[in-house]
Amino acid sequence: MVNKIWLGLILIGFIFAALKGDIQIVTQAAFEGAATGVTVCFGLISVLVFWMGIMKLAEDSGLVRAISRVLGPVVAYLFPDVPKNHPAMGYILSNMSANLLGLGNAATPMGIKAMQQLQELNPDKQSASPAMCTLLALNTASITLIPTTLIAIRLNFHSANPAEIVGSTLLATAIATLAAIAADRWYRKRSAWTKPPVSPPSEASYTLKG
């Protein structure tokens, strides 16, 4: 759907430019946009490599494990239908820890692995489980302590103070996360009213399977 929307916007732009006789402006803007995209990507590489290295150091030093221990009770509350020692829990904690540090690129593979593990617990393989919906909501609206990517973009465009958005980003993501959790709790309760509860598999079942 998103691809169709973008395609429609591009076609509308071309049509109106052609009708006004300004098709050369569209062509110029396309090339300038492509050049800007390449410049921004090169500007992001160094910053992302730096923070990915910091993430690796955080893992080796035990900082990620410490954050995971702090988030453990919160995750257990948010994902009541996932067994405590299931592998999905580890991936969820790693995903949330990376998002807290603003490392979306590091969080993505952990989120994908968590979704794969949650799909194994999902009794209805054709529909997303409540736990999968919760993870998607939290990953999208995650609290971010350090907005690494945004700082890198602002730095690339020569912002006088690229880190000044830290406070506002923290506030915005905190509000978004609270809203996501509230919506998730409400939909879980509504689902419980309309559907019979489904018990998650026991720890022994996935232990034996592994």
Side-chain angles (χ1 to χ4, degrees):
M1 179 58 71
V2 175
N3 292 335
K4 293 180 181 179
I5 292 174
W6 277 111
L7 179 60
L9 292 174
I10 293 172
L11 291 177
I12 291 172
F14 271 107
I15 292 172
F16 274 91
L19 292 175
K20 293 181 63 178
D22 294 331
I23 196 66
Q24 72 281 357
I25 297 178
V26 177
T27 305
Q28 181 182 353
F31 282 106
E32 289 178 353
T36 302
V38 173
T39 303
V40 171
C41 288
F42 276 113
L44 288 173
I45 288 174
S46 59
V47 177
L48 290 177
V49 167
F50 170 77
W51 282 107
M52 292 292 285
I54 293 295
M55 183 65 179
K56 181 62 177 176
L57 291 175
E59 291 177 353
D60 295 341
S61 65
L63 177 60
V64 174
R65 288 192 296 273
I67 295 175
S68 297
R69 284 196 296 270
V70 173
L71 294 176
V74 178
V75 173
Y77 167 76
L78 294 175
F79 297 88
D81 44 353
V82 179
K84 182 178 179 181
N85 295 321
H86 192 275
M89 280 299 201
Y91 290 120
I92 292 172
L93 287 167
S94 296
N95 173 266
M96 294 179 67
S97 300
N99 276 324
L100 278 174
L101 299 176
L103 301 174
N105 286 12
T108 299
M110 295 297 102
I112 293 173
K113 293 294 292 184
M115 281 292 187
Q116 291 174 344
Q117 292 294 331
L118 292 175
Q119 178 67 358
E120 293 184 4
L121 296 174
N122 188 6
D124 182 4
K125 304 301 182 183
Q126 302 302 317
S127 302
S129 66
M132 296 170 76
C133 294
T134 301
L135 176 60
L136 180 61
L138 291 177
N139 185 71
T140 304
S142 176
I143 295 177
T144 303
L145 301 179
I146 307 173
T148 307
T149 303
L150 289 178
I151 291 175
I153 293 174
R154 288 169 60 85
L155 185 64
N156 188 68
F157 282 98
H158 312 291
S159 172
N161 187 4
E164 68 180 352
I165 60 170
V166 170
S168 57
T169 300
L170 178 59
L171 178 61
T173 54
I175 294 173
T177 300
L178 291 176
I181 293 174
D184 176 72
R185 295 294 98 181
W186 187 83
Y187 277 105
R188 278 180 177 267
K189 289 182 179 179
R190 193 182 75 164
S191 178
W193 295 335
T194 57
K195 294 181 180 180
V198 179
S199 301
S202 63
E203 295 184 9
S205 62
Y206 63 76
T207 301
L208 293 175
K209 182 179 178 180

mmCIF file of all heavy atoms in Angstrom, residues 72-122:
data_model
loop_
_atom_site.group_PDB
_atom_site.id
_atom_site.type_symbol
_atom_site.label_atom_id
_atom_site.label_comp_id
_atom_site.label_asym_id
_atom_site.label_seq_id
_atom_site.Cartn_x
_atom_site.Cartn_y
_atom_site.Cartn_z
ATOM 1 N N GLY A 72 13.725 -6.717 32.461
ATOM 2 C CA GLY A 72 13.123 -8.040 32.590
ATOM 3 C C GLY A 72 11.716 -8.034 33.167
ATOM 4 O O GLY A 72 10.783 -8.581 32.554
ATOM 5 N N PRO A 73 11.500 -7.435 34.357
ATOM 6 C CA PRO A 73 10.143 -7.425 34.928
ATOM 7 C C PRO A 73 9.138 -6.694 34.043
ATOM 8 O O PRO A 73 7.978 -7.080 33.957
ATOM 9 C CB PRO A 73 10.340 -6.696 36.271
ATOM 10 C CG PRO A 73 11.795 -6.869 36.589
ATOM 11 C CD PRO A 73 12.498 -6.859 35.278
ATOM 12 N N VAL A 74 9.591 -5.620 33.381
ATOM 13 C CA VAL A 74 8.695 -4.869 32.500
ATOM 14 C C VAL A 74 8.274 -5.727 31.311
ATOM 15 O O VAL A 74 7.096 -5.769 30.936
ATOM 16 C CB VAL A 74 9.386 -3.581 32.007
ATOM 17 C CG1 VAL A 74 8.478 -2.825 31.043
ATOM 18 C CG2 VAL A 74 9.782 -2.698 33.175
ATOM 19 N N VAL A 75 9.247 -6.441 30.735
ATOM 20 C CA VAL A 75 8.955 -7.286 29.586
ATOM 21 C C VAL A 75 8.033 -8.440 29.992
ATOM 22 O O VAL A 75 7.127 -8.823 29.241
ATOM 23 C CB VAL A 75 10.263 -7.829 28.971
ATOM 24 C CG1 VAL A 75 9.977 -8.844 27.883
ATOM 25 C CG2 VAL A 75 11.077 -6.675 28.384
ATOM 26 N N ALA A 76 8.257 -9.001 31.161
ATOM 27 C CA ALA A 76 7.391 -10.086 31.637
ATOM 28 C C ALA A 76 5.944 -9.610 31.790
ATOM 29 O O ALA A 76 5.002 -10.355 31.513
ATOM 30 C CB ALA A 76 7.919 -10.625 32.963
ATOM 31 N N TYR A 77 5.774 -8.345 32.205
ATOM 32 C CA TYR A 77 4.426 -7.781 32.336
ATOM 33 C C TYR A 77 3.799 -7.520 30.971
ATOM 34 O O TYR A 77 2.608 -7.779 30.759
ATOM 35 C CB TYR A 77 4.482 -6.486 33.140
ATOM 36 C CG TYR A 77 3.209 -5.673 33.081
ATOM 37 C CD1 TYR A 77 2.081 -6.051 33.810
ATOM 38 C CD2 TYR A 77 3.124 -4.522 32.292
ATOM 39 C CE1 TYR A 77 0.908 -5.318 33.744
ATOM 40 C CE2 TYR A 77 1.958 -3.782 32.221
ATOM 41 C CZ TYR A 77 0.856 -4.187 32.957
ATOM 42 O OH TYR A 77 -0.302 -3.460 32.890
ATOM 43 N N LEU A 78 4.612 -7.003 30.043
ATOM 44 C CA LEU A 78 4.091 -6.657 28.721
ATOM 45 C C LEU A 78 3.817 -7.881 27.862
ATOM 46 O O LEU A 78 2.987 -7.831 26.950
ATOM 47 C CB LEU A 78 5.076 -5.733 27.997
ATOM 48 C CG LEU A 78 5.285 -4.349 28.608
ATOM 49 C CD1 LEU A 78 6.371 -3.600 27.867
ATOM 50 C CD2 LEU A 78 3.978 -3.547 28.588
ATOM 51 N N PHE A 79 4.530 -8.989 28.144
ATOM 52 C CA PHE A 79 4.370 -10.210 27.356
ATOM 53 C C PHE A 79 3.981 -11.371 28.283
ATOM 54 O O PHE A 79 4.752 -12.312 28.468
ATOM 55 C CB PHE A 79 5.658 -10.534 26.611
ATOM 56 C CG PHE A 79 6.066 -9.504 25.596
ATOM 57 C CD1 PHE A 79 6.843 -8.429 25.961
ATOM 58 C CD2 PHE A 79 5.665 -9.614 24.268
ATOM 59 C CE1 PHE A 79 7.219 -7.464 25.025
ATOM 60 C CE2 PHE A 79 6.027 -8.668 23.332
ATOM 61 C CZ PHE A 79 6.812 -7.586 23.712
ATOM 62 N N PRO A 80 2.785 -11.308 28.866
ATOM 63 C CA PRO A 80 2.388 -12.354 29.819
ATOM 64 C C PRO A 80 2.189 -13.718 29.177
ATOM 65 O O PRO A 80 2.215 -14.741 29.871
ATOM 66 C CB PRO A 80 1.071 -11.814 30.393
ATOM 67 C CG PRO A 80 0.521 -10.948 29.303
ATOM 68 C CD PRO A 80 1.718 -10.314 28.657
ATOM 69 N N ASP A 81 1.963 -13.753 27.850
ATOM 70 C CA ASP A 81 1.706 -15.020 27.168
ATOM 71 C C ASP A 81 2.973 -15.662 26.612
ATOM 72 O O ASP A 81 2.892 -16.669 25.914
ATOM 73 C CB ASP A 81 0.696 -14.818 26.043
ATOM 74 C CG ASP A 81 0.975 -13.562 25.222
ATOM 75 O OD1 ASP A 81 1.874 -12.793 25.603
ATOM 76 O OD2 ASP A 81 0.289 -13.355 24.217
ATOM 77 N N VAL A 82 4.146 -15.109 26.943
ATOM 78 C CA VAL A 82 5.413 -15.698 26.515
ATOM 79 C C VAL A 82 6.105 -16.301 27.729
ATOM 80 O O VAL A 82 6.322 -15.604 28.724
ATOM 81 C CB VAL A 82 6.335 -14.646 25.864
ATOM 82 C CG1 VAL A 82 7.655 -15.273 25.441
ATOM 83 C CG2 VAL A 82 5.645 -14.001 24.670
ATOM 84 N N PRO A 83 6.439 -17.593 27.710
ATOM 85 C CA PRO A 83 7.126 -18.216 28.844
ATOM 86 C C PRO A 83 8.410 -17.471 29.210
ATOM 87 O O PRO A 83 9.118 -16.967 28.329
ATOM 88 C CB PRO A 83 7.426 -19.634 28.343
ATOM 89 C CG PRO A 83 6.385 -19.887 27.298
ATOM 90 C CD PRO A 83 6.147 -18.566 26.639
ATOM 91 N N LYS A 84 8.705 -17.403 30.480
ATOM 92 C CA LYS A 84 9.807 -16.575 30.984
ATOM 93 C C LYS A 84 11.139 -16.918 30.357
ATOM 94 O O LYS A 84 11.942 -16.028 30.033
ATOM 95 C CB LYS A 84 9.886 -16.726 32.512
ATOM 96 C CG LYS A 84 10.975 -15.879 33.157
ATOM 97 C CD LYS A 84 10.972 -16.039 34.659
ATOM 98 C CE LYS A 84 12.072 -15.208 35.294
ATOM 99 N NZ LYS A 84 12.100 -15.365 36.777
ATOM 100 N N ASN A 85 11.432 -18.200 30.196
ATOM 101 C CA ASN A 85 12.739 -18.609 29.691
ATOM 102 C C ASN A 85 12.744 -18.953 28.205
ATOM 103 O O ASN A 85 13.668 -19.592 27.715
ATOM 104 C CB ASN A 85 13.242 -19.827 30.496
ATOM 105 C CG ASN A 85 13.498 -19.482 31.950
ATOM 106 O OD1 ASN A 85 13.989 -18.406 32.264
ATOM 107 N ND2 ASN A 85 13.147 -20.398 32.846
ATOM 108 N N HIS A 86 11.709 -18.536 27.504
ATOM 109 C CA HIS A 86 11.656 -18.792 26.063
ATOM 110 C C HIS A 86 12.697 -17.936 25.341
ATOM 111 O O HIS A 86 12.957 -16.791 25.749
ATOM 112 C CB HIS A 86 10.257 -18.503 25.534
ATOM 113 C CG HIS A 86 10.032 -19.011 24.147
ATOM 114 N ND1 HIS A 86 10.387 -18.287 23.020
ATOM 115 C CD2 HIS A 86 9.504 -20.177 23.691
ATOM 116 C CE1 HIS A 86 10.081 -18.975 21.943
ATOM 117 N NE2 HIS A 86 9.541 -20.131 22.314
ATOM 118 N N PRO A 87 13.316 -18.446 24.262
ATOM 119 C CA PRO A 87 14.313 -17.660 23.518
ATOM 120 C C PRO A 87 13.795 -16.315 23.032
ATOM 121 O O PRO A 87 14.567 -15.368 22.881
ATOM 122 C CB PRO A 87 14.654 -18.578 22.334
ATOM 123 C CG PRO A 87 14.375 -19.957 22.824
ATOM 124 C CD PRO A 87 13.204 -19.825 23.753
ATOM 125 N N ALA A 88 12.492 -16.209 22.792
ATOM 126 C CA ALA A 88 11.931 -14.936 22.323
ATOM 127 C C ALA A 88 12.190 -13.820 23.316
ATOM 128 O O ALA A 88 12.391 -12.658 22.925
ATOM 129 C CB ALA A 88 10.428 -15.085 22.076
ATOM 130 N N MET A 89 12.189 -14.141 24.603
ATOM 131 C CA MET A 89 12.405 -13.128 25.630
ATOM 132 C C MET A 89 13.779 -12.479 25.482
ATOM 133 O O MET A 89 13.936 -11.265 25.626
ATOM 134 C CB MET A 89 12.254 -13.736 27.026
ATOM 135 C CG MET A 89 10.834 -13.889 27.479
ATOM 136 S SD MET A 89 9.973 -12.303 27.557
ATOM 137 C CE MET A 89 8.642 -12.672 28.674
ATOM 138 N N GLY A 90 14.797 -13.271 25.200
ATOM 139 C CA GLY A 90 16.138 -12.739 25.032
ATOM 140 C C GLY A 90 16.222 -11.787 23.852
ATOM 141 O O GLY A 90 16.828 -10.715 23.932
ATOM 142 N N TYR A 91 15.594 -12.166 22.745
ATOM 143 C CA TYR A 91 15.603 -11.303 21.564
ATOM 144 C C TYR A 91 14.806 -10.024 21.806
ATOM 145 O O TYR A 91 15.181 -8.947 21.338
ATOM 146 C CB TYR A 91 15.042 -12.049 20.359
ATOM 147 C CG TYR A 91 15.936 -13.151 19.860
ATOM 148 C CD1 TYR A 91 15.512 -14.472 19.826
ATOM 149 C CD2 TYR A 91 17.233 -12.878 19.413
ATOM 150 C CE1 TYR A 91 16.341 -15.488 19.362
ATOM 151 C CE2 TYR A 91 18.062 -13.883 18.950
ATOM 152 C CZ TYR A 91 17.608 -15.185 18.920
ATOM 153 O OH TYR A 91 18.430 -16.181 18.475
ATOM 154 N N ILE A 92 13.692 -10.133 22.527
ATOM 155 C CA ILE A 92 12.894 -8.949 22.845
ATOM 156 C C ILE A 92 13.702 -7.979 23.700
ATOM 157 O O ILE A 92 13.716 -6.761 23.459
ATOM 158 C CB ILE A 92 11.589 -9.349 23.562
ATOM 159 C CG1 ILE A 92 10.666 -10.099 22.605
ATOM 160 C CG2 ILE A 92 10.883 -8.122 24.125
ATOM 161 C CD1 ILE A 92 9.443 -10.707 23.266
ATOM 162 N N LEU A 93 14.395 -8.500 24.702
ATOM 163 C CA LEU A 93 15.207 -7.656 25.577
ATOM 164 C C LEU A 93 16.341 -6.992 24.800
ATOM 165 O O LEU A 93 16.640 -5.810 25.005
ATOM 166 C CB LEU A 93 15.764 -8.490 26.734
ATOM 167 C CG LEU A 93 14.750 -8.891 27.805
ATOM 168 C CD1 LEU A 93 15.330 -9.961 28.720
ATOM 169 C CD2 LEU A 93 14.341 -7.665 28.623
ATOM 170 N N SER A 94 16.985 -7.729 23.902
ATOM 171 C CA SER A 94 18.060 -7.149 23.091
ATOM 172 C C SER A 94 17.512 -6.063 22.167
ATOM 173 O O SER A 94 18.144 -5.015 21.983
ATOM 174 C CB SER A 94 18.735 -8.251 22.260
ATOM 175 O OG SER A 94 19.358 -9.203 23.097
ATOM 176 N N ASN A 95 16.338 -6.312 21.594
ATOM 177 C CA ASN A 95 15.706 -5.325 20.726
ATOM 178 C C ASN A 95 15.399 -4.037 21.483
ATOM 179 O O ASN A 95 15.696 -2.931 21.008
ATOM 180 C CB ASN A 95 14.437 -5.921 20.129
ATOM 181 C CG ASN A 95 13.622 -4.910 19.340
ATOM 182 O OD1 ASN A 95 12.705 -4.285 19.865
ATOM 183 N ND2 ASN A 95 13.947 -4.743 18.070
ATOM 184 N N MET A 96 14.834 -4.169 22.666
ATOM 185 C CA MET A 96 14.479 -2.994 23.457
ATOM 186 C C MET A 96 15.724 -2.252 23.930
ATOM 187 O O MET A 96 15.747 -1.007 23.965
ATOM 188 C CB MET A 96 13.601 -3.414 24.641
ATOM 189 C CG MET A 96 12.240 -3.950 24.230
ATOM 190 S SD MET A 96 11.220 -4.459 25.643
ATOM 191 C CE MET A 96 10.917 -2.873 26.426
ATOM 192 N N SER A 97 16.769 -2.991 24.285
ATOM 193 C CA SER A 97 18.013 -2.353 24.737
ATOM 194 C C SER A 97 18.642 -1.539 23.619
ATOM 195 O O SER A 97 19.098 -0.406 23.828
ATOM 196 C CB SER A 97 18.999 -3.420 25.231
ATOM 197 O OG SER A 97 18.470 -4.149 26.312
ATOM 198 N N ALA A 98 18.676 -2.098 22.411
ATOM 199 C CA ALA A 98 19.250 -1.375 21.270
ATOM 200 C C ALA A 98 18.426 -0.140 20.930
ATOM 201 O O ALA A 98 18.979 0.917 20.609
ATOM 202 C CB ALA A 98 19.344 -2.305 20.065
ATOM 203 N N ASN A 99 17.099 -0.253 21.019
ATOM 204 C CA ASN A 99 16.253 0.905 20.750
ATOM 205 C C ASN A 99 16.457 2.001 21.779
ATOM 206 O O ASN A 99 16.421 3.198 21.452
ATOM 207 C CB ASN A 99 14.777 0.488 20.719
ATOM 208 C CG ASN A 99 14.352 -0.062 19.374
ATOM 209 O OD1 ASN A 99 14.804 0.406 18.341
ATOM 210 N ND2 ASN A 99 13.492 -1.062 19.385
ATOM 211 N N LEU A 100 16.673 1.625 23.029
ATOM 212 C CA LEU A 100 16.937 2.622 24.063
ATOM 213 C C LEU A 100 18.183 3.437 23.743
ATOM 214 O O LEU A 100 18.249 4.633 24.022
ATOM 215 C CB LEU A 100 17.103 1.942 25.425
ATOM 216 C CG LEU A 100 15.831 1.589 26.186
ATOM 217 C CD1 LEU A 100 16.175 0.786 27.434
ATOM 218 C CD2 LEU A 100 15.072 2.857 26.580
ATOM 219 N N LEU A 101 19.175 2.786 23.154
ATOM 220 C CA LEU A 101 20.418 3.454 22.802
ATOM 221 C C LEU A 101 20.364 4.104 21.426
ATOM 222 O O LEU A 101 21.372 4.618 20.938
ATOM 223 C CB LEU A 101 21.580 2.453 22.862
ATOM 224 C CG LEU A 101 21.827 1.816 24.234
ATOM 225 C CD1 LEU A 101 22.934 0.781 24.137
ATOM 226 C CD2 LEU A 101 22.178 2.875 25.271
ATOM 227 N N GLY A 102 19.191 4.070 20.789
ATOM 228 C CA GLY A 102 19.034 4.707 19.491
ATOM 229 C C GLY A 102 19.663 3.959 18.346
ATOM 230 O O GLY A 102 19.915 4.531 17.286
ATOM 231 N N LEU A 103 19.927 2.676 18.524
ATOM 232 C CA LEU A 103 20.589 1.874 17.495
ATOM 233 C C LEU A 103 19.552 1.035 16.762
ATOM 234 O O LEU A 103 19.451 -0.182 16.954
ATOM 235 C CB LEU A 103 21.668 0.990 18.135
ATOM 236 C CG LEU A 103 22.765 1.763 18.891
ATOM 237 C CD1 LEU A 103 23.694 0.805 19.595
ATOM 238 C CD2 LEU A 103 23.543 2.656 17.943
ATOM 239 N N GLY A 104 18.774 1.702 15.925
ATOM 240 C CA GLY A 104 17.712 1.007 15.204
ATOM 241 C C GLY A 104 18.231 -0.097 14.310
ATOM 242 O O GLY A 104 17.598 -1.148 14.175
ATOM 243 N N ASN A 105 19.409 0.117 13.687
ATOM 244 C CA ASN A 105 19.972 -0.907 12.809
ATOM 245 C C ASN A 105 20.337 -2.162 13.576
ATOM 246 O O ASN A 105 20.235 -3.279 13.063
ATOM 247 C CB ASN A 105 21.212 -0.367 12.091
ATOM 248 C CG ASN A 105 20.854 0.617 10.993
ATOM 249 O OD1 ASN A 105 19.721 1.062 10.921
ATOM 250 N ND2 ASN A 105 21.798 0.969 10.155
ATOM 251 N N ALA A 106 20.788 -2.006 14.812
ATOM 252 C CA ALA A 106 21.108 -3.165 15.645
ATOM 253 C C ALA A 106 19.842 -3.802 16.204
ATOM 254 O O ALA A 106 19.806 -5.008 16.449
ATOM 255 C CB ALA A 106 22.035 -2.747 16.786
ATOM 256 N N ALA A 107 18.799 -2.992 16.404
ATOM 257 C CA ALA A 107 17.553 -3.517 16.967
ATOM 258 C C ALA A 107 16.763 -4.331 15.951
ATOM 259 O O ALA A 107 16.053 -5.268 16.329
ATOM 260 C CB ALA A 107 16.693 -2.363 17.486
ATOM 261 N N THR A 108 16.882 -3.983 14.671
ATOM 262 C CA THR A 108 16.069 -4.644 13.646
ATOM 263 C C THR A 108 16.275 -6.156 13.575
ATOM 264 O O THR A 108 15.297 -6.912 13.613
ATOM 265 C CB THR A 108 16.326 -4.008 12.267
ATOM 266 O OG1 THR A 108 15.952 -2.628 12.315
ATOM 267 C CG2 THR A 108 15.526 -4.715 11.191
ATOM 268 N N PRO A 109 17.524 -6.658 13.468
ATOM 269 C CA PRO A 109 17.677 -8.124 13.396
ATOM 270 C C PRO A 109 17.194 -8.826 14.651
ATOM 271 O O PRO A 109 16.660 -9.941 14.576
ATOM 272 C CB PRO A 109 19.187 -8.320 13.183
ATOM 273 C CG PRO A 109 19.816 -7.043 13.596
ATOM 274 C CD PRO A 109 18.818 -5.976 13.314
ATOM 275 N N MET A 110 17.355 -8.179 15.826
ATOM 276 C CA MET A 110 16.853 -8.780 17.054
ATOM 277 C C MET A 110 15.323 -8.835 17.045
ATOM 278 O O MET A 110 14.719 -9.815 17.507
ATOM 279 C CB MET A 110 17.334 -7.984 18.266
ATOM 280 C CG MET A 110 18.830 -8.001 18.494
ATOM 281 S SD MET A 110 19.486 -9.665 18.841
ATOM 282 C CE MET A 110 20.194 -10.080 17.246
ATOM 283 N N GLY A 111 14.699 -7.790 16.499
ATOM 284 C CA GLY A 111 13.245 -7.780 16.406
ATOM 285 C C GLY A 111 12.732 -8.854 15.458
ATOM 286 O O GLY A 111 11.716 -9.497 15.725
ATOM 287 N N ILE A 112 13.456 -9.057 14.354
ATOM 288 C CA ILE A 112 13.061 -10.098 13.400
ATOM 289 C C ILE A 112 13.167 -11.478 14.040
ATOM 290 O O ILE A 112 12.270 -12.322 13.896
ATOM 291 C CB ILE A 112 13.923 -10.010 12.130
ATOM 292 C CG1 ILE A 112 13.617 -8.717 11.371
ATOM 293 C CG2 ILE A 112 13.675 -11.221 11.226
ATOM 294 C CD1 ILE A 112 14.525 -8.470 10.193
ATOM 295 N N LYS A 113 14.260 -11.721 14.753
ATOM 296 C CA LYS A 113 14.427 -13.013 15.431
ATOM 297 C C LYS A 113 13.346 -13.217 16.496
ATOM 298 O O LYS A 113 12.836 -14.327 16.668
ATOM 299 C CB LYS A 113 15.816 -13.095 16.058
ATOM 300 C CG LYS A 113 16.953 -13.144 15.058
ATOM 301 C CD LYS A 113 16.945 -14.422 14.239
ATOM 302 C CE LYS A 113 17.260 -15.640 15.088
ATOM 303 N NZ LYS A 113 17.336 -16.877 14.267
ATOM 304 N N ALA A 114 13.013 -12.133 17.205
ATOM 305 C CA ALA A 114 11.962 -12.239 18.220
ATOM 306 C C ALA A 114 10.622 -12.590 17.569
ATOM 307 O O ALA A 114 9.873 -13.427 18.081
ATOM 308 C CB ALA A 114 11.854 -10.923 18.996
ATOM 309 N N MET A 115 10.330 -11.974 16.428
ATOM 310 C CA MET A 115 9.086 -12.274 15.723
ATOM 311 C C MET A 115 9.052 -13.732 15.273
ATOM 312 O O MET A 115 8.014 -14.402 15.346
ATOM 313 C CB MET A 115 8.937 -11.353 14.511
ATOM 314 C CG MET A 115 8.459 -9.959 14.843
ATOM 315 S SD MET A 115 6.745 -9.974 15.438
ATOM 316 C CE MET A 115 6.432 -8.205 15.533
ATOM 317 N N GLN A 116 10.181 -14.244 14.808
ATOM 318 C CA GLN A 116 10.236 -15.644 14.381
ATOM 319 C C GLN A 116 9.967 -16.582 15.559
ATOM 320 O O GLN A 116 9.245 -17.579 15.420
ATOM 321 C CB GLN A 116 11.602 -15.933 13.762
ATOM 322 C CG GLN A 116 11.835 -15.242 12.423
ATOM 323 C CD GLN A 116 13.241 -15.415 11.906
ATOM 324 O OE1 GLN A 116 14.150 -15.799 12.647
ATOM 325 N NE2 GLN A 116 13.443 -15.127 10.628
ATOM 326 N N GLN A 117 10.529 -16.254 16.706
ATOM 327 C CA GLN A 117 10.298 -17.087 17.890
ATOM 328 C C GLN A 117 8.851 -16.975 18.370
ATOM 329 O O GLN A 117 8.246 -17.970 18.783
ATOM 330 C CB GLN A 117 11.258 -16.664 19.014
ATOM 331 C CG GLN A 117 12.714 -16.955 18.748
ATOM 332 C CD GLN A 117 13.007 -18.452 18.695
ATOM 333 O OE1 GLN A 117 12.331 -19.254 19.344
ATOM 334 N NE2 GLN A 117 14.018 -18.823 17.928
ATOM 335 N N LEU A 118 8.293 -15.765 18.300
ATOM 336 C CA LEU A 118 6.905 -15.590 18.720
ATOM 337 C C LEU A 118 5.945 -16.300 17.772
ATOM 338 O O LEU A 118 4.885 -16.770 18.194
ATOM 339 C CB LEU A 118 6.560 -14.097 18.778
ATOM 340 C CG LEU A 118 7.255 -13.287 19.881
ATOM 341 C CD1 LEU A 118 6.924 -11.813 19.757
ATOM 342 C CD2 LEU A 118 6.879 -13.808 21.260
ATOM 343 N N GLN A 119 6.319 -16.390 16.504
ATOM 344 C CA GLN A 119 5.482 -17.111 15.547
ATOM 345 C C GLN A 119 5.407 -18.590 15.890
ATOM 346 O O GLN A 119 4.372 -19.237 15.656
ATOM 347 C CB GLN A 119 6.026 -16.897 14.128
ATOM 348 C CG GLN A 119 5.269 -17.630 13.035
ATOM 349 C CD GLN A 119 3.849 -17.118 12.824
ATOM 350 O OE1 GLN A 119 3.383 -16.226 13.524
ATOM 351 N NE2 GLN A 119 3.163 -17.704 11.849
ATOM 352 N N GLU A 120 6.484 -19.136 16.443
ATOM 353 C CA GLU A 120 6.459 -20.537 16.860
ATOM 354 C C GLU A 120 5.468 -20.754 18.001
ATOM 355 O O GLU A 120 4.880 -21.836 18.132
ATOM 356 C CB GLU A 120 7.857 -20.979 17.289
ATOM 357 C CG GLU A 120 8.878 -21.014 16.149
ATOM 358 C CD GLU A 120 10.222 -21.551 16.596
ATOM 359 O OE1 GLU A 120 10.329 -21.962 17.777
ATOM 360 O OE2 GLU A 120 11.156 -21.568 15.774
ATOM 361 N N LEU A 121 5.276 -19.735 18.847
ATOM 362 C CA LEU A 121 4.317 -19.835 19.943
ATOM 363 C C LEU A 121 2.894 -19.515 19.499
ATOM 364 O O LEU A 121 1.942 -19.776 20.238
ATOM 365 C CB LEU A 121 4.708 -18.868 21.074
ATOM 366 C CG LEU A 121 6.030 -19.123 21.793
ATOM 367 C CD1 LEU A 121 6.307 -17.989 22.774
ATOM 368 C CD2 LEU A 121 5.984 -20.456 22.533
ATOM 369 N N ASN A 122 2.767 -18.933 18.319
ATOM 370 C CA ASN A 122 1.468 -18.466 17.843
ATOM 371 C C ASN A 122 0.579 -19.650 17.462
ATOM 372 O O ASN A 122 0.913 -20.423 16.563
ATOM 373 C CB ASN A 122 1.677 -17.552 16.625
ATOM 374 C CG ASN A 122 0.396 -16.877 16.183
ATOM 375 O OD1 ASN A 122 -0.641 -16.997 16.836
ATOM 376 N ND2 ASN A 122 0.465 -16.175 15.076
#
